[in-house]
Amino acid sequence: MTALLSVRGLKRHYPVRRPGGLFGRPATLKAVDGLDFDIPAGRTLGLVGESGCGKSTTARLVLGLVPPSAGEVRFDGGLVTAKHDAAWRRQRRRMQMVYQDPLGALDRRMPVAEQIGEPIAIHEPGLPAAERAERVAELMAQVGLGASMAQRYPHELSGGQRQRVVIARALALDPALLVCDEPVSALDVSIQAQVLNLLDDLRARTGFAALFISHDLKVVRQMSDRVAVMYLGRIVEEGAPEEVFHAPLHPYTQALVSAIPVPGRRRERIVLEGDPPNPVDVPAGCPFHPRCPVATARCTREVPRLERDAGRAVACHLVTAPAAHAAE
Amino acid sequence: MTTIPDDSGSVFTAKNRAAAFFQSWPPGILLALAWLAMCALLVAFAPHVAPYDYLAMDLRARLTPPVFFGGDWAHPLGTDELGRDVLSRLITSVRISLVIAFLSTLIAATLGVSLGFLAAWFRGRVEQVVLMLIDAQAAMPFMIIALAMLAFLGNSLPLLVILMGFYGWERIARIARGLAIAASEQGYATAVRDLGATPWRIYGRHILPNIASTLIVSMTLNFPEVILLESGLSFLGLGVQPPMTSLGNMVGYGRDYIQSAPWIMLAPAAAIVLTTLSISMIGDWLRDRFDPTLR
C-alpha cells in the first residue's frame, strides 16, 4: 500500500545567533532533524512531544509552507515544495490545516460564512455565488454551526464555535489530508471533547487522513491510529496508541506516560532531571541522554537509529541492542 | 438594609436616551459633521446657492461691510474692492478648495497604499526602492517642489490637483508598508496565504480592511494639510489663478485690505479653520468607530 503522505529524512534548520547581540556566535537551531513517517489514506498519525520539539515546524513542512533544509515530503506521489507555484496551489485543494489559535486564524472583519467559503472562492472562482453559499451552509451544518451564525464576526463567537469555523474552512474543498496543529489546546476541556468528537465524526464521514499534533497524550490517544513521540526534532518512538501508551519502550515515552494522572491509583511517576532541551545545543549521542534515568556510556557517543520492528519503532540503544549493553 | 428594589427587578439602570445618544455621537462631532455636510452641499450646488455670480461686479457697492457691521442684507458678508459679493465668492471658493483637497488626498492615498503594499509584498529590492522614494520625498520641502513645478509647467487646475496629490503620499506609504508587514505575519493573513490565495485577495480583501482605520485617519490628517497648502500656494499667487477663486486665493488678495475691509480676508480664513478642524476631529472619531472590537 502506498502512503498518501510520505516523509523521508525531513530536516529544517534555522540559523540563529547565540545571546550576545552582534557578537553572538552563529549557531544552528535544529527544529526538525531527520523525520521519516508515512500516513496512509484515511488514517491518522498522532504526533506528541513537549513544547519546542518541532511539532509545529513539522506541520508547516508537511504542508509546504516552509521549505525543508533536507529531505522530502511526498503527497500522493507529488513532491511538496514551498514554492508558491501552480502545482503548490493545486496541492492546497487536497491538504489543509486546522490552526491552534482559531481567533488569530480568522479575519476579524469578515463574517464567518464568507471566510468558510473562501477556499471555494479561491480554487473554484467560476462557481456562482449562490452555489457557493449553498455549500457554505452545508459545511456549517456539518460542523454544527447554526445558520444564524453565518453573518457573525469571529469575535462574536465562542472559542469552540470559532474552531468549528476553522474546521469548516479547512474541509471546504474536501481535502485528502488535514493537518491539525494543536487544534484543541486553546479550548476549555468540555469544549475540547466536543471538537474532538466533531473531528472524529467528520473523519468517519469524509475519510480524510490526518496528521494530529498535540502535547496532550489523552487527546492523541483518542484521535490517532498511530502515534509518534518526538523529542528535539526526532521521532523517538512510534507505534499503535495502545502499545505506545501501555507499554512504552523509550525512557522518554515512559516518563511522559507516567505523568498522565490516573484516578484512584498511586503510580510511580518518573520525574525527568537535567536541563530542559535546547534545540540549539543538541547533546552529542542520544539527544535524550542528559535527562535519561538509564543512560549508559554508549548513549553519550552514538546517536540511536529509529529501528522498526513489527509495526513498532523506537530509537534507543537500550531497547534495540540490550545485549550489547550487557556486554559493555 | 430594607431597600425596596425597583419594579423591573433588573440590575441594569436604564441609561438616559439622550445621554446614550450623545455618548456615541459627541456634540462636537455632530457640529463638525453638520459643517462638512453643509460644505458638501455647497460643493454640489454652489451656482444655485450663491446669491450672485462670483465674478459679478457692483462698482457702486464696493467694500460694503457685512450685515450688522454697517452693511445690509443685499451682501450679507459684504463686498470686496471690485464690489463682488464675498458670500458668493466664498461659496465658490469652498467648492474649488474642497474638490482640490479631496482629489489630491485620494491620489496621495492610492499612491501611498499601492507603494506601501508593493514594498510589503515583495520586500527585498522593491522595498529598498520604495523606501528610497519615501525618504527622497520626505527630505525635500514640498512647498519648494510645488513652487518649482508650477513655475516651470505653468498653471492649470488639473496640474495643481496632481501636484497636490504628491503631498503626503510618503507618510501614507510608510504607514501602509509597516501595517501590511505586521498584518501579513498575523494568523488570519498567513491562514489565507496557506489556502493558496493570490496577493490581490490577501492584501485587498483581508489586510486592507484590517488596517483601513489607521489609513483613513492618516488621510483625514492629510486632507486639511492639502487645503492649507493650496491656500498657501494661492496666497503666493501660484495656486488657483484669478479670475477663478479659492479660499487661499481670497485670503491672499484680501490681505491688501486687511485694515480697511478685514471681512474680505476673515470670511475665507474662518472657513479654512472650521473645515480643517472638522475633518481632523472626525478623523479621530472615525478611528474609534471603525474598530469592531471597540464597539
Side-chain angles (χ1 to χ4, degrees):
Chain A
M1 188 162 84
T2 55
L4 177 72
L5 180 84
S6 98
V7 171
R8 289 289 170 270
L10 191 64
K11 291 187 181 182
R12 174 69 200 180
H13 296 176
Y14 292 98
V16 291
R17 271 184 187 282
R18 288 175 195 282
L22 274 178
F23 303 105
R25 278 180 299 123
T28 312
L29 189 154
K30 295 177 178 172
V32 171
D33 198 25
L35 286 190
D36 298 280
F37 61 83
D38 291 313
I39 304 180
R43 308 310 294 268
T44 302
L45 175 71
L47 208 53
V48 264
E50 58 197 40
S51 315
C53 73
K55 303 188 299 281
S56 295
T57 308
T58 309
R60 299 185 62 73
L61 284 167
V62 162
L63 286 172
L65 306 178
V66 288
S69 309
E72 59 172 34
V73 178
R74 285 193 175 273
F75 176 74
D76 217 3
L79 196 65
V80 177
T81 60
K83 278 195 220 89
H84 290 215
D85 51 12
W88 182 87
R89 293 167 68 91
R90 269 198 304 281
Q91 279 171 343
R92 296 311 101 195
R93 303 193 53 151
R94 310 217 34 228
M95 48 207 300
Q96 288 286 339
M97 180 144 173
V98 175
Y99 298 86
Q100 177 173 8
D101 171 19
L103 184 58
L106 294 170
D107 190 336
R108 297 188 307 158
R109 288 177 187 265
M110 206 184 251
V112 295
E114 209 173 318
Q115 301 199 46
I116 294 173
E118 204 153 29
I120 306 172
I122 291 168
H123 291 282
E124 292 168 34
L127 199 74
E131 273 177 55
R132 193 166 76 217
E134 213 170 283
R135 274 173 60 182
V136 168
E138 252 169 61
L139 281 163
M140 288 184 64
Q142 263 186 32
V143 298
L145 285 172
S148 61
M149 304 283 171
Q151 292 311 313
R152 300 259 183 99
Y153 288 86
H155 69 270
E156 297 172 326
L157 301 182
S158 71
Q161 287 168 334
R162 283 176 206 147
Q163 194 58 290
R164 284 166 198 264
V165 172
V166 172
I167 292 171
R169 178 173 67 178
L171 294 178
L173 294 168
D174 205 5
L177 175 72
L178 198 65
V179 174
C180 306
D181 185 7
E182 305 252 12
V184 295
S185 64
L187 305 177
D188 287 348
V189 177
S190 56
I191 310 294
Q192 280 188 6
Q194 288 178 16
V195 171
L196 290 176
N197 288 337
L198 171 71
L199 276 172
D200 229 10
D201 288 350
L202 290 169
R203 192 171 51 130
R205 216 178 310 161
T206 55
F208 55 79
L211 176 61
F212 195 92
I213 294 172
S214 179
H215 62 260
D216 191 335
L217 301 177
K218 299 189 303 296
V219 168
V220 167
R221 172 150 50 174
Q222 183 189 342
M223 297 301 295
S224 318
D225 299 312
R226 277 183 82 71
V227 174
V229 180
M230 271 183 89
Y231 186 79
L232 279 185
R234 292 162 199 238
I235 292 178
V236 294
E237 184 161 2
E238 195 190 317
E242 289 316 306
E243 287 176 6
V244 171
F245 291 127
H246 280 130
L249 292 176
H250 195 279
Y252 177 62
T253 321
Q254 286 166 359
L256 281 185
V257 171
S258 81
I260 303 176
V262 180
R265 186 154 52 101
R266 275 197 72 81
R267 196 162 54 161
E268 197 67 28
R269 184 173 288 186
I270 305 169
V271 179
L272 290 178
E273 291 183 4
D275 299 329
N278 175 1
V280 180
D281 260 322
V282 178
C286 173
F288 185 58
H289 84 259
R291 301 170 78 192
C292 182
V294 291
T296 64
R298 188 184 174 200
C299 300
T300 62
R301 294 191 311 265
E302 274 177 56
V303 181
R305 288 195 28 227
L306 188 68
E307 302 284 353
R308 287 175 193 277
D309 178 34
R312 195 82 194 266
V314 67
C316 179
H317 294 309
L318 290 146
V319 177
T320 50
H325 275 281
E328 234 178 278
Chain B
M1 285 290 282
T2 53
T3 341
I4 299 162
D6 64 344
D7 302 340
S8 65
S10 165
V11 291
F12 299 106
T13 38
K15 225 191 279 182
N16 184 344
R17 193 168 289 189
F21 176 79
F22 283 121
Q23 196 164 26
S24 55
W25 299 83
I29 294 299
L30 287 175
L31 286 176
L33 281 173
W35 172 259
L36 287 186
M38 201 185 81
C39 287
L41 285 177
L42 289 184
V43 168
F45 302 109
H48 307 286
V49 179
Y52 301 89
D53 185 83
Y54 74 101
L55 291 174
M57 288 185 276
D58 182 357
L59 290 176
R60 278 175 306 171
R62 284 180 306 156
L63 299 175
T64 314
V67 65
F68 303 130
F69 290 91
D72 53 22
W73 282 102
H75 299 286
L77 290 181
T79 58
D80 65 4
E81 74 278 13
L82 295 173
R84 295 175 297 192
D85 183 46
V86 172
L87 179 64
S88 306
R89 288 177 66 74
L90 187 68
I91 289 171
T92 314
S93 300
V94 165
R95 180 188 214 190
I96 302 248
S97 288
L98 285 191
V99 166
I100 291 177
F102 184 75
L103 291 179
S104 305
T105 305
L106 218 56
I107 293 174
T110 315
L111 193 68
V113 171
S114 315
L115 284 174
F117 279 7
L118 273 181
W121 172 251
F122 286 106
R123 307 299 299 265
R125 196 73 47 95
V126 177
E127 189 179 25
Q128 296 300 322
V129 171
V130 171
L131 286 177
M132 215 171 67
L133 285 175
I134 289 174
D135 287 340
Q137 174 81 74
M140 282 186 285
F142 190 80
M143 200 66 164
I144 308 283
I145 304 175
L147 287 176
M149 292 288 287
L150 290 171
F152 277 112
L153 298 174
N155 200 318
S156 67
L157 198 57
L159 184 75
L160 192 68
V161 168
I162 292 170
L163 187 64
M164 297 286 138
F166 280 92
Y167 181 75
W169 72 266
E170 81 275 7
R171 270 175 298 172
I172 295 179
R174 212 176 255 161
I175 294 171
R177 168 183 160 268
L179 290 173
I181 288 175
S184 62
E185 293 304 316
Q186 302 252 316
Y188 67 88
T190 40
V192 179
R193 196 179 310 132
D194 295 353
L195 287 174
T198 56
W200 288 111
R201 176 176 281 274
I202 301 171
Y203 280 85
R205 303 235 12 220
H206 292 279
I207 292 183
L208 187 58
N210 271 282
I211 66 174
S213 52
T214 317
L215 291 178
I216 285 173
V217 173
S218 67
M219 274 169 73
T220 55
L221 291 178
N222 201 52
F223 193 92
E225 283 176 27
V226 173
I227 294 183
L228 293 177
L229 183 70
E230 183 273 324
S231 303
L233 282 175
S234 298
F235 180 85
L236 292 176
L238 280 164
V240 174
Q241 296 298 312
M244 221 196 274
T245 177
S246 78
L247 292 174
N249 179 302
M250 277 182 82
V251 174
Y253 288 95
R255 76 180 188 278
D256 299 340
Y257 295 88
I258 190 162
Q259 285 185 327
S260 53
W263 57 85
I264 303 176
M265 199 184 105
L266 287 181
I272 293 175
V273 169
L274 283 176
T275 312
T276 53
L277 182 68
S278 304
I279 292 169
S280 296
M281 280 168 63
I282 286 172
D284 213 25
W285 173 75
L286 275 181
R287 191 199 51 211
D288 296 345
R289 292 283 289 190
F290 272 136
D291 197 341
T293 52
L294 282 183
R295 248 180 253 154

